[in-house]
Amino acid sequence: MHRRHAAVVAVGLLASAAGVDANPGAFTYDNAHPEIQMWSYPAGSANGAGAVRDRASTFASFSYLNGDTNEPVFYPGNGLDPSRRGSFLIVADTSESIPLGLPLDRYQIDSLRVTTTLLGNLISEAAGRVLPYDNTLDDAESLTVGQDADAGHPIEMYGLGLQGDFDAVNFDGSPTQNEFRLGSPRWRQYREGEEGYDPQLDPADQSFAPYQFFGVDTQGRDVENSVNGGYSATAPENATARFTPDPFAIGKVYDAQGGEFVPGDLLDVGDQFVFEPNLQDAGVLAYLQQSLSDGHLGFSFSSMHQPAGHTGTIAYPDFYLDDLDVGNNPDGAAPRIELSVTILDPVLAGDYDADGAVDAADYQLWRAQYGTAGPEADGNADGVVDAADYTLWRDNAATGSALAAGAVAVPEPSGAGLVALGGMAAAFCGWVEWFIRPKRPQS
């Protein structure tokens, strides 16, 4: 990535959309009341009138005990009842605080911290606290063969994927079709006149698979049924084998002195889980940049705790939710998103040395990197420095700031030289660039 200069400009959470422009600067975002907070078990459940919910538990369902042998039986999840059965999500509106709609490489993510707080009665029994802390990801194979050596299970944070009817996020509550918003159901319902619609049934009883929102890992994979395979919103043919996902972050818990809990320590009411993604991860970066360009940040949280009735115990995590002044937890310990981002200067096409001018020095850098992956002189970001990158430099050098003043003559390869360059470029193996679309990661 080109290095660019950025002036420091502080912008608060309540800045108006009209007042947030795309000028370079450092922006901070701190939202202790994300606009969308929903629990899924396995359908979506929202805080608010008619569906007041101020808490969210995380648990899984991927096995049961055979009544004859008392041995666990593992089964794949599907589009109507995924393995990550109890999960929750938060989505925050960033459009009034951070410029939206910019090219993705202008968003430099400096820091991101998400905090959730444990509520109490599902993590304790009469004899005392029983839920142990775990800060390492469970391997899928170990989970299903009963060889997970950790005392507990981690709390995992993922991105938010949409499919089916949903292709955007809506924060104002208007009933716009194809927009996910507070209270949106996880499964679409049959509509009148549609094949499968039964006029004798209540509309609420006509839901069908597949789920419309789901957790997505840094590689763009639907993680809802990762533990034992099954339906997938992102895999070819919508089916996946078992895999160990790559979460955005694993929740860490710290004591009052700032020291992290030791794995196996028992968790208690009020303990906070802190999620800090690796911002150097290409998948994390692409997701966050696309999200901010779209004007929102969304994350899904889940864990592999199996409650009693499957092969687990009664204790599993339970978290505060609080997005509206309703229920038993108004203005309580809601999930919190803290973000720092720098908006960089626009990239000047052909300015390969990032000095603010398209000139002879950029041509020399292009020549030096020709036939390699660059990356500085790879102007079109196709993985190889070739004749196309020369053309990009040449076209912009004609109007670039330094050349427009007539300060530098524009050198140009001969026709024969360009033919040779083209041959070399054709023989050079490029690479394929990918990124995650945060709203709808699909194969």
Side-chain angles (χ1 to χ4, degrees), residues 76-144:
N78 57 51
L80 191 59
D81 195 2
S83 296
R84 293 179 187 268
R85 206 160 191 237
S87 61
F88 69 96
L89 58 92
I90 60 174
V91 190
D93 183 358
T94 61
S95 64
E96 294 189 354
S97 302
I98 298 173
L100 69 162
L102 302 180
L104 303 189
D105 66 358
R106 292 195 63 192
Y107 295 97
Q108 175 181 289
I109 313 300
D110 300 316
S111 66
L112 173 63
R113 178 187 177 102
V114 181
T115 307
T116 62
T117 304
L118 277 177
L119 214 156
N121 65 333
L122 295 181
I123 65 172
S124 300
E125 290 180 341
R129 293 176 290 145
V130 295
L131 191 70
Y133 173 61
D134 185 359
N135 62 359
T136 58
L137 183 66
D138 292 335
D139 173 77
E141 189 71 26
S142 298
L143 281 172
T144 54

Side-chain angles (χ1 to χ4, degrees), residues 27-73:
F27 294 76
T28 59
Y29 178 83
D30 187 349
N31 191 343
H33 298 275
E35 288 77 4
I36 296 176
Q37 299 176 47
M38 288 173 52
W39 180 57
S40 297
Y41 172 60
S45 175
N47 289 4
V52 176
R53 180 92 190 173
D54 57 14
R55 65 193 307 160
S57 51
T58 62
F59 54 89
S61 174
F62 53 87
S63 67
Y64 64 91
L65 291 177
N66 184 303
D68 297 325
T69 65
N70 205 38
E71 293 293 323
V73 178

Side-chain angles (χ1 to χ4, degrees), residues 193-274:
E194 189 174 51
E195 183 179 357
Y197 177 80
D198 186 346
Q200 304 302 315
L201 293 178
D202 186 290
D205 296 327
Q206 300 199 60
S207 298
F208 65 93
Y211 42 73
Q212 298 198 93
F213 58 82
F214 54 94
V216 59
D217 74 356
T218 66
Q219 298 183 45
R221 299 175 295 186
D222 172 7
V223 302
E224 294 299 316
N225 294 311
S226 62
V227 66
N228 209 43
Y231 174 82
S232 171
T234 59
E237 308 301 324
N238 294 124
T240 181
R242 174 189 305 135
F243 68 94
T244 299
D246 186 13
F248 278 48
I250 294 294
K252 304 293 180 67
V253 180
Y254 302 91
D255 59 28
Q257 289 70 45
E260 184 183 353
F261 275 28
V262 175
D265 283 352
L266 296 181
L267 297 165
D268 203 353
V269 180
D271 286 340
Q272 290 189 329
F273 278 82
V274 177

Side-chain angles (χ1 to χ4, degrees), residues 160-164 166-169 180 212-214 438-442:
L160 174 63
L162 302 178
Q163 66 168 342
F166 298 146
D167 58 14
V169 177
F180 175 82
Q212 298 198 93
F213 58 82
F214 54 94
K439 297 185 300 183
R440 286 180 76 126
Q442 301 219 27

